[in-house]
Amino acid sequence: MTKLFTPNDLVRYIYQEMPEVEQELLMQALRDDQDLMQEYLEMLSTIESLDQIRPLPSEKVVKAIKMRAHSTGLQKV
């Protein structure tokens, strides 16, 4: 019986969160199933893009923190 792998399985594989036996089955499925391989490659690309994002706080948040620090007598930020 062939195991059907889900997108969740691919995420577990990418982050090395699945048992070795299951990893081997998934690697075989990736070799045999072009659609699954395409989905895997798209996930890798998405994860790589997300890893490059460096979120910054909005100016509104920074101002609110500075006002709160000033009003409580904390040192200047």
Side-chain angles (χ1 to χ4, degrees):
M1 183 173 126
T2 304
K3 177 177 174 17
L4 297 178
F5 289 97
T6 66
N8 189 50
D9 292 323
L10 292 173
V11 171
R12 290 175 42 238
Y13 176 72
I14 290 168
Y15 287 105
Q16 300 173 358
E17 296 177 349
M18 66 172 37
E20 192 172 327
V21 172
E22 193 175 4
Q23 285 180 24
E24 291 173 15
L25 291 172
L26 180 57
M27 287 188 294
Q28 183 62 45
L30 288 169
R31 284 189 289 270
D32 297 341
D33 185 339
Q34 201 61 31
D35 292 334
L36 185 63
M37 176 60 86
Q38 183 62 38
E39 189 170 2
Y40 169 70
L41 293 174
E42 287 173 8
M43 280 188 177
L44 285 179
S45 177
T46 300
I47 289 169
E48 183 178 313
S49 296
L50 288 172
D51 286 343
Q52 294 176 12
I53 295 174
R54 299 291 178 237
L56 299 173
S58 69
E59 187 62 32
K60 181 179 176 181
V61 169
V62 172
K63 284 181 181 179
I65 291 170
K66 287 181 177 180
M67 287 178 60
R68 178 73 174 164
H70 180 71
S71 69
T72 59
L74 297 176
Q75 289 183 327
K76 212 175 193 181
V77 177

